[in-house]
Amino acid sequence: MEEKYVPSAVEGKWQQFWATHNSFKATEDATRKKYYLLEMFPYPSGKIHMGHVRNYSIGDVIARFKRMQGYNVLHPMGWDAFGMPAENAAIQHKSHPAKWTYENIDYMRGQLKRLGLSYDWERELATCDLDYYKWEQKIFLEMYKKGLAYKKSSAVNWCPKCETVLANEQVEDGCCWRCDSLVQQKELEQWSFRITNYAQELLDDTYKLTGWPERVLTMQRNWIGRSVGCEIDFPLENGLTSIKVFTTRQDTLFGATFMSLAAEHPMALDLATAGQRAAVEGFIDKVKKTDRIKRSADDQEKEGVFTGSYCVNPVTNVKMPIFLANFVLMDYGTGAVMAVPTHDQRDFEFARKYDLPLKVVIQPAGETLDPATMTEAYTAEGTMVNSGRFDGMGNTDAKEAIADYLEKEKIGKKTVNFRLRDWGISRQRYWGNPIPVINCDLCGVVPVPETELPVVLPMDAEFTGEGGNPLARVGSFTTCTCPQCGEAARRETDTMDTFVQSSWYFLRYCSPKFTSGPLDREQVEHWMPVDQYIGGIEHAVLHLLYARFFTKVLRDLGYCNVDEPFSNLLTQGMVIKDGAKMSKSKGNVVDPNALIERYGADTARLFSLFAAPPEKDLDWSDQGVDGSYRFLNRVWRLVYDVLPAVKNAGAVQVDQLSADGKKLRRAVHKTIKKVSEDVEERFHFNTAIAAVMELVNSIQGFTGKDAPENVAVVREAVESVVRLLAPFVPHFAEELWSELGHQVGLEQAGWPGYDADAVVDEEITVVIQVNGKLRSKLTVAPDAKEDDVRAAALADDKIVPYLEGKSVKKVVYVPGKLVSIVVA
């Protein structure tokens, strides 16, 4: 054993060993319980960053820990490889997205291997691989046949810089999630997945996900947005048709005084009278250029335009003017809102601005609201007024009564509405999975026959950065023959949203080389669901919701029997430096390569795991990194120093240990217990590592190392340190384990157990308080009787002076912790 710890020599040696022996291959071993551990796979941007180091180190600790516990662990890695950055890089470097992507994958794979991450590389996949995306095309066709994939013209979020459609979830504060450009509204023919068919199940099943952070579940529930209310028909004044609204506040129906429509509402232009048409058209054009998220913000200026038309309140028969309003969205409810300005703040502001009538229909207890003097809408509970037969009822009770009345009179019906909208998957870009359909002038949309899959991306597209989708300009790709009528046709040039690929990759990992279909059902049933998933909170209503939906679709298509893909979810924090998230733009990036060159991969891993709990943000500290490196050197030196004496030590003979030897053994087993619990139950890696550090201090401070009776316990202590560190710093631990004379690796050796008798303290310290103030401490046996502890406390030399001349009113004993004496 070398006296000095040299990370590069140790890490290279063990990485080669693991690769040669295929050490982390998941096997079909029915005798061992399975454990599927997965981190969200990365985009192959070219370099890993410290966020990757932290995320993948967290996962690797769990994977290695579970293997040491005897589990058959599946821990795969792959690449979320389609997407716009590759296309942008092709434009910038005059390269090709495929070349750029695969070169980056090769480089990043090497970086991940250099970190010693225990992946089953035989299962590696990239979503741009032909044998991945062809099966996705097959799934698309099956969804199309089931009506779950469809194409229609609709208003979409359009990024003018990326020149592509964005899903609602990909619009952040009104801007593109990729490039921060202001998003516009645009009318386009686009493909969508009918995720709304699964809205109720997606919502219901959030209550089964007990291993997910409540924060994520709340975000998903809010995004799905289930509302129970009524659909109500408001007849137009001319009696030709009606406007349907959805409301959860049918108790305010008698107070509706005007109608607000979304600018995108299909009736918007039809309702415009001759005199108002120009104003309506101008308003519609203005709203379409405004981001939909900002339109619905509470602080957004409320604007509208009168259409010139009227509808009739079906319960009051009052004529109501119909406005278009910028805060009404077409993708919630019906795109039409019955406006009740006295009981809705947005309607109140709008009514005051355009001098529209107000009518109070809910009065608060002990108060009388006057529309003329109201300064804001009243939205709390109260008593119904000006509401016909419902006057005098509490408004909550009136909701159900009015709903029943509407159904009886055939004016409306009870219904459930969801905020969730279908997932628009069309992207007008090249580097994505081609949507496998053909557009024929005679036959319309025709699916590509499954025998002709995959529809392969052509390699001869030109990337100029101009003119939109490069795929649309490749004639050899777009020109085709209709499989139904045999006439000339055009191939679809939209590609699928990259979130489609990440919505089922975790299922494909179960059988990545399966050639008879997307999934080997038997393998999926063995490995799924993922036992522990790890990734960022930013994916709460993007990837995580889509993955849940896609899993349910594949279940219903017969590919698996899985309802939910991820049993447990850990959302790790960010890496912070100088008060901000690490990023090139802020100039605060730490290069993992430079860190590994100087300190080694195990130091990088140890610091990222020790500096903060996984779910919290990690504040970068150069001193912390140096401290982690010094600790590893301390452990290395400790093993080096004791190795000659303990190398041939036998089993611990407890009855032969000195008093200090027994104390050290107790520290060993208490540490094993704490580290096991911290890793298994809480993923508190920082406190687990801190406990090992304390054990190292105990070993170094142990004065009986050289006593023959204590040699075995010193070896047990040192070996325990190495075994407990193995998931965190695997190269380092394997090297020391080998030097300690073991022929099998640490994962084969297994996770150490602890002696339950050894973790019980021989003595415990009980503090003594007099009238709430600490006055002394008492050392007692753990099983000391309460009466004996009370008596000892009252007789304590430091306590007696506080009791002289006073009456003891009460003595309270908190077992193992405290004696509280109250005197008067």
Side-chain angles (χ1 to χ4, degrees):
M1 178 180 181
E2 296 293 333
E3 181 177 357
K4 187 177 180 183
Y5 169 46
V6 182
S8 58
V10 171
E11 291 172 0
K13 167 186 174 181
W14 287 102
Q15 287 165 19
Q16 182 61 47
F17 177 89
W18 294 328
T20 301
H21 291 82
N22 204 2
S23 298
F24 311 120
K25 180 178 180 179
T27 62
E28 298 177 17
D29 185 351
T31 65
R32 291 190 294 158
K33 189 175 180 181
K34 73 93 180 178
Y35 193 88
Y36 188 174
L37 185 282
L38 185 64
E39 306 97 32
M40 294 180 185
F41 63 171
Y43 183 79
S45 57
K47 281 187 177 182
I48 64 169
H49 50 69
M50 287 310 302
H52 288 131
V53 173
R54 187 186 189 204
N55 188 32
Y56 301 142
S57 294
I58 290 169
D60 202 51
V61 169
I62 302 169
R64 288 179 178 274
F65 174 71
K66 287 296 180 182
R67 288 195 197 93
M68 291 181 75
Q69 285 189 315
Y71 284 84
N72 186 22
V73 175
L74 173 58
H75 188 206
M77 174 50 68
W79 312 95
D80 192 8
F82 275 137
M84 199 171 304
E87 204 161 324
N88 292 341
I91 296 166
Q92 182 179 352
H93 302 296
K94 301 188 186 310
S95 180
H96 192 281
K99 182 175 184 293
W100 184 85
T101 298
Y102 282 110
E103 285 177 352
N104 287 352
I105 286 173
D106 288 343
Y107 186 76
M108 290 178 70
R109 185 191 303 111
Q111 289 182 297
L112 296 183
K113 287 184 175 181
R114 197 175 179 193
L115 280 168
L117 301 167
S118 60
Y119 293 126
D120 181 353
W121 286 105
E122 287 190 357
R123 293 176 185 260
E124 180 185 12
L125 59 80
T127 58
C128 62
D129 289 343
L130 195 60
D131 61 358
Y132 185 86
Y133 75 73
K134 78 173 181 179
W135 296 121
E136 189 169 279
Q137 290 176 2
K138 175 177 171 58
I139 294 168
F140 177 94
L141 293 178
E142 293 188 39
M143 291 177 71
Y144 179 73
K145 291 174 186 175
K146 295 279 189 181
L148 293 172
Y150 66 96
K151 191 174 190 180
K152 71 170 185 177
S153 178
S154 60
V156 297
N157 303 307
W158 178 260
C159 175
K161 182 176 180 182
C162 297
E163 295 189 88
T164 191
V165 171
L166 303 176
N168 291 340
E169 296 89 339
Q170 294 167 326
V171 179
E172 299 174 352
D173 296 325
C175 296
C176 172
W177 72 297
R178 293 189 186 98
C179 70
D180 290 330
S181 296
L182 191 65
V183 172
Q184 300 173 355
Q185 296 294 296
K186 191 172 183 178
E187 195 78 19
L188 278 182
E189 285 271 322
Q190 67 154 4
W191 286 94
S192 294
F193 285 157
R194 215 175 293 276
I195 191 174
T196 51
N197 280 19
Y198 289 80
Q200 189 63 56
E201 186 182 0
L202 287 167
L203 178 62
D204 290 343
D205 284 0
T206 61
Y207 295 96
K208 300 177 182 177
L209 297 174
T210 55
W212 283 41
E214 192 59 33
R215 178 186 176 193
V216 174
L217 296 174
T218 298
M219 292 169 73
Q220 290 213 359
R221 289 165 191 156
N222 290 341
W223 191 261
I224 295 167
R226 185 179 190 270
S227 301
V228 179
C230 287
E231 280 187 353
I232 307 172
D233 292 319
F234 285 72
L236 292 186
E237 181 188 23
N238 60 21
L240 296 178
T241 186
S242 62
I243 297 174
K244 190 180 295 294
V245 305
F246 170 79
T247 180
T248 60
R249 293 298 308 273
Q250 61 268 23
D251 54 321
T252 66
L253 175 58
F254 286 82
T257 58
F258 63 96
M259 178 72 69
S260 300
L261 264 61
E264 304 88 354
H265 196 285
M267 295 175 66
L269 279 176
D270 294 337
L271 290 168
T273 58
Q276 288 296 104
R277 189 169 184 87
V280 168
E281 287 178 343
F283 181 78
I284 291 172
D285 186 59
K286 178 182 178 181
V287 170
K288 284 187 175 180
K289 294 177 181 177
T290 307
D291 166 57
R292 61 178 300 282
I293 305 297
K294 288 187 175 181
R295 283 168 58 187
S296 60
D298 289 339
D299 58 356
Q300 176 76 358
E301 176 71 19
K302 309 299 183 290
E303 294 182 345
V305 63
F306 179 43
T307 62
S309 296
Y310 293 83
C311 63
V312 177
N313 186 318
V315 294
T316 65
N317 291 319
V318 171
K319 191 167 72 169
M320 297 167 45
I322 302 171
F323 279 75
L324 304 187
N326 65 343
F327 58 86
V328 181
L329 302 177
M330 193 62 219
D331 61 359
Y332 181 76
T334 64
V337 174
M338 65 171 205
V340 186
T342 50
H343 304 294
D344 181 276
Q345 187 59 30
R346 294 188 307 176
D347 295 343
F348 180 87
E349 294 172 17
F350 193 89
R352 287 290 192 229
K353 182 171 184 175
Y354 293 101
D355 196 26
L356 296 166
L358 286 77
K359 178 182 177 183
V360 174
V361 292
I362 300 174
Q363 291 284 13
E367 192 177 344
T368 301
L369 298 175
D370 181 357
T373 59
M374 290 178 71
T375 58
E376 62 181 1
Y378 178 72
T379 58
E381 294 185 2
T383 303
M384 301 289 291
V385 297
N386 300 320
S387 300
R389 69 178 70 188
F390 305 103
D391 284 354
M393 294 181 68
N395 73 296
T396 301
D397 293 334
K399 280 187 179 181
E400 188 66 24
I402 291 175
D404 291 338
Y405 172 77
L406 294 174
E407 289 195 331
K408 179 182 177 183
E409 297 297 320
K410 295 183 171 49
I411 298 169
K413 64 178 181 179
K414 299 174 188 177
T415 190
V416 174
N417 191 68
F418 293 92
R419 179 177 181 266
L420 181 69
R421 286 294 169 263
D422 283 342
W423 172 14
I425 66 157
S426 284
R427 298 296 177 265
Q428 292 69 42
R429 308 306 301 173
Y430 163 80
W431 191 237
N433 189 359
I435 293 176
V437 299
I438 290 167
N439 299 299
C440 174
D441 290 337
L442 296 176
C443 306
V445 174
V446 181
V448 171
E450 288 189 13
T451 55
E452 295 180 15
L453 295 181
V455 177
V456 180
L457 274 175
M459 290 293 107
D460 54 347
E462 293 184 11
F463 301 94
T464 63
E466 300 175 357
N469 186 355
L471 197 56
R473 300 192 298 270
V474 182
S476 59
F477 176 81
T478 59
T479 303
C480 63
T481 300
C482 174
Q484 281 188 193
C485 69
E487 295 297 319
R490 300 170 307 284
R491 197 178 296 281
E492 176 64 73
T493 58
D494 282 359
T495 54
M496 296 188 210
D497 180 8
T498 55
F499 279 99
V500 178
Q501 285 89 70
S502 60
S503 291
W504 69 288
Y505 78 106
F506 45 88
L507 289 156
R508 182 68 180 174
Y509 275 145
C510 298
S511 50
K513 295 179 172 61
F514 190 59
T515 59
S516 300
L519 305 173
D520 181 337
R521 186 183 175 99
E522 183 179 341
Q523 288 300 305
V524 170
E525 290 182 3
H526 174 74
W527 289 110
M528 289 293 292
V530 174
D531 294 282
Q532 183 64 57
Y533 200 34
I534 302 170
I537 189 72
E538 67 273 14
H539 296 293
V541 292
L542 281 164
H543 162 61
L544 288 170
L545 184 63
Y546 293 154
R548 295 181 60 222
F549 159 66
F550 222 76
T551 300
K552 295 175 188 299
V553 169
L554 290 173
R555 175 201 64 195
D556 292 346
L557 292 175
Y559 285 113
C560 64
N561 62 350
V562 184
D563 293 325
E564 285 290 336
F566 314 120
S567 296
N568 298 283
L569 174 68
L570 172 65
T571 53
Q572 88 284 353
M574 298 184 296
V575 180
I576 306 294
K577 189 172 188 288
D578 304 328
K581 180 183 177 181
M582 283 190 182
S583 70
K584 291 180 181 177
S585 62
K586 292 185 174 65
N588 63 349
V589 171
V590 173
D591 180 9
N593 283 348
L595 189 69
I596 293 170
E597 284 292 335
R598 181 174 179 184
Y599 292 105
D602 280 336
T603 296
R605 291 169 60 119
L606 187 66
F607 169 73
S608 68
L609 296 163
F610 177 60
E615 70 278 6
K616 303 293 184 183
D617 290 344
L618 182 156
D619 284 312
W620 185 264
S621 165
D622 292 333
Q623 294 82 5
V625 174
D626 196 57
S628 296
Y629 182 63
R630 290 200 308 272
F631 170 69
L632 293 182
N633 277 276
R634 279 179 60 206
V635 176
W636 185 275
R637 183 71 193 186
L638 171 63
V639 175
Y640 180 85
D641 287 345
V642 304
L643 189 59
V646 305
K647 195 160 189 177
N648 296 313
V652 175
Q653 303 297 320
V654 178
D655 57 344
Q656 295 179 12
L657 293 176
S658 67
D660 284 345
K662 291 178 180 178
K663 184 177 180 181
L664 176 61
R665 184 169 184 268
R666 184 173 300 108
V668 169
H669 287 266
K670 290 180 77 169
T671 303
I672 294 172
K673 181 176 185 291
K674 177 170 177 51
V675 173
S676 300
E677 291 172 351
D678 282 354
V679 175
E680 177 87 59
E681 299 172 13
R682 296 179 287 271
F683 297 158
H684 284 185
F685 304 142
N686 56 325
T687 56
I689 294 168
V692 178
M693 290 177 172
E694 290 180 15
L695 179 57
V696 171
N697 291 339
S698 297
I699 299 170
Q700 290 183 319
F702 180 49
T703 56
K705 288 189 186 74
D706 298 328
E709 68 271 19
N710 291 334
V711 171
V713 79
V714 173
R715 180 180 177 93
E716 180 187 48
V718 170
E719 287 192 344
S720 295
V721 167
V722 174
R723 293 171 80 180
L724 294 175
L725 285 176
F728 305 98
V729 286
H731 316 84
F732 177 88
E734 287 285 9
E735 182 68 13
L736 293 183
W737 188 249
S738 175
E739 289 294 337
L740 284 163
H742 295 284
Q743 299 302 310
V744 297
L746 277 161
E747 291 194 352
Q748 290 73 33
W751 187 255
Y754 63 87
D755 182 346
D757 292 333
V759 301
V760 177
D761 290 317
E762 291 185 348
E763 293 181 332
I764 57 175
T765 300
V766 175
V767 299
I768 310 174
Q769 293 180 348
V770 178
N771 287 351
K773 293 185 178 181
L774 177 64
R775 297 301 187 188
S776 187
K777 295 180 181 179
L778 194 66
T779 300
V780 300
D783 58 351
K785 295 180 179 179
E786 182 173 342
D787 289 345
D788 292 340
V789 177
R790 286 169 177 260
L794 292 169
D796 186 88
D797 290 342
K798 293 181 180 179
I799 296 299
V800 169
Y802 292 102
L803 306 182
E804 290 176 353
K806 297 176 182 175
S807 172
V808 177
K809 296 292 186 182
K810 187 190 301 184
V811 179
V812 178
Y813 177 49
V814 179
K817 295 182 179 179
L818 166 72
V819 177
S820 176
I821 303 170
V822 180
V823 299

